[in-house]
Amino acid sequence: MDIAKIDKNFDIKFDVPEDMELIKKIMSEMTLKEKVYQTVIQRSENYIYDDKTAQSQLQDKPSVGGFFVGEEIIGSQAMKGDDIICAIERANKHSKIPPIICADTEFGCGYMFPDGRYSNFPWQMTLGATANKEYAYDFGKYTAIPARKIGVNLSLGPVADLNMNFMNPVVNTRAIGDDPILVKKMLVSMVKGMQEYGMGATIKHFPGDGVDYRDQHFVLTDNSLSVEEWKNTFGEVYKALIEAGTLCVMAGHLSFSAYQKERIEEIAPPATLSKELICDLLKGELGFKYAVMSDAVCMNAFRTIYCDQVKSEVECFKAGVDLLLWPSEQYAEALLKAIEDGEIPMSRLDDAVERILLLKYELGLFGGKQFKTDTMDGVFDLDRKIAESAVTLVRDRKGFLPKTDLKKIAIVGITLYDDESESLKILQNEFEENGVAAEIYNAEFHKANCPEYVKDYDMILYCTFCHQHKPCGFLQIIPSWQVGALNRDKTVVATFGSPYLIDANFPTINTAIAAYSDTEQCM
């Protein structure tokens, strides 16, 4: 394909790299079917068994564009330790064109591969609270180093959303914050650290989540800002990150209704189904030249527009999305037929494949790229550095802290989840190692209404954990009731998740601490 003569509907110009001839040569040798399968990011769980099985399954179809590893994110069959490395090696071995290997490493490798080898970093909001762009660079660097060691070459992160609605159940602590100036400063540094050490970054969820109060996993949501407001906030963030060389953008299943003129049965479609948002805004106005990936197409906000899953997936590609994350088995053949029937122009497919190969070129999958290298010595120390810099004394009206004469405290967890209740033992151990007796109460502090017992404690510490996917809208009734009635002079609230709960749910408590994350170091 002559890059200078792209179909007018996809008239996206970009600089030609020195090795563009290599990309054009690869394309010239690809069959139509091979090009179609390059648009697929497939789950990798089927290839963990043995080389013979992998070879058989992968040879049944042309090379897919890439694989997703780290199935913990969807509760599917999880690969651990060397199984992950072996699966990636098999995927590479039996793929005609080197595949993208991507993982949801938003918070370090330990988040997706929790086998003790790799550190789990705090939520991005914790990083944002430090306002330290060197920490942001290291966050990217020390996500990339172990990821490349495993074989992952593309991170499905960082999150580039803005916390404009503290009730949003899916952004919240995943976001750096709500200030676009801070967010772009931190994320530009993170992306630089990540990509200089050989792993591509995927910024998400375009055109920007965090304004709505709903979750796009379950229902279509909207970025309801005006076009001008968007340009001064989300637009500024995306513009800065694209100019910094970010290699991939993930389109979200949310609309930007003020920008969009198109309606499907009176509904502004999500970005994943909107040519206006993908081609006109992202690839056009913002000049993004690499591949656009969809968020997982099994999410309900995507599925509810056309109802027919395969039709939705073909329409997603037609709208300008180049890589589909976890499409159905029928998608590739349906896309092939749509191209053969002339429903989708060949120029659209060539544009997508060219962008995908350009992304792979920048990831070093065709050779000729040199990346920085370093040891993993700093990986396990970064959590501590971020935590110590981030933890915030939000409120201390009576000067209760620092408290140096503690003898006995009560730790009360406000959570519905066993793993969060269990994590309170980290706090308990820390207090006891410092000579303070600590008793844990799960949800109900049964001594709260008995003054003669409460006086035995020097501090009553209530701990909340609400964060993304565990929404901030709920607090259990009993401890919430208790905390408002207790002796405020000795009551402290600590949030190991959303800090917005401090003002929203505990306005009368005199002392409050935001720790932002529930990692061991933050606790």
Side-chain angles (χ1 to χ4, degrees), residues 453-494:
Y453 290 116
V454 171
K455 69 181 182 181
D456 292 339
Y457 297 95
D458 301 308
M459 178 193 293
I460 301 164
L461 179 63
Y462 281 84
C463 302
T464 68
F465 293 87
C466 300
H467 54 80
Q468 70 275 6
H469 306 304
K470 294 180 180 177
C472 62
F474 79 83
L475 282 174
Q476 287 178 277
I477 295 172
I478 293 174
S480 297
W481 190 280
Q482 291 168 355
V483 76
L486 282 175
N487 182 336
R488 294 176 192 164
D489 291 339
K490 60 171 66 175
T491 300
V492 177
V493 169

Side-chain angles (χ1 to χ4, degrees), residues 409-412 421-441 461 463 496 523:
I409 72 164
I411 300 172
V412 188
S421 295
E422 185 70 18
S423 72
L424 293 173
K425 291 179 181 177
I426 298 171
L427 277 177
Q428 183 184 42
N429 291 338
E430 286 294 311
F431 276 111
E432 291 182 345
E433 286 179 9
N434 284 276
V436 181
E439 296 178 354
I440 294 177
Y441 296 87
L461 179 63
C463 302
F496 296 101
M523 299 194 79

Side-chain angles (χ1 to χ4, degrees), residues 323-454:
L323 288 161
L324 270 68
L325 182 61
W326 309 339
S328 61
E329 284 290 323
Q330 298 78 24
Y331 157 71
E333 292 301 323
L335 178 58
L336 180 63
K337 186 176 187 304
I339 292 168
E340 289 176 335
D341 291 348
E343 178 187 343
I344 297 175
M346 189 64 197
S347 57
R348 166 68 195 112
L349 180 62
D350 281 340
D351 173 56
V353 174
E354 198 166 71
R355 289 171 180 275
I356 293 164
L357 295 181
L358 182 60
L359 168 61
K360 291 183 176 186
Y361 167 83
E362 296 291 357
L363 296 176
L365 303 190
F366 303 132
K369 282 283 182 179
Q370 296 295 319
F371 301 109
K372 291 183 178 179
T373 58
D374 203 343
T375 67
M376 291 204 298
D377 293 347
V379 170
F380 292 96
D381 197 40
L382 186 58
D383 183 8
R384 178 189 60 80
K385 288 180 178 179
I386 293 172
E388 290 180 353
S389 178
V391 172
T392 307
L393 181 62
V394 177
R395 181 193 305 149
D396 193 20
R397 294 174 182 140
K398 300 293 184 69
F400 182 63
L401 298 179
K403 188 75 171 168
T404 58
D405 57 350
L406 292 175
K407 300 273 193 307
K408 184 179 180 181
I409 72 164
I411 300 172
V412 188
I414 306 179
T415 176
L416 295 172
Y417 300 97
D418 291 341
D419 60 330
E420 293 173 346
S421 295
E422 185 70 18
S423 72
L424 293 173
K425 291 179 181 177
I426 298 171
L427 277 177
Q428 183 184 42
N429 291 338
E430 286 294 311
F431 276 111
E432 291 182 345
E433 286 179 9
N434 284 276
V436 181
E439 296 178 354
I440 294 177
Y441 296 87
N442 290 316
E444 184 176 1
F445 180 40
H446 62 267
K447 298 180 179 181
N449 295 319
C450 303
E452 65 272 23
Y453 290 116
V454 171

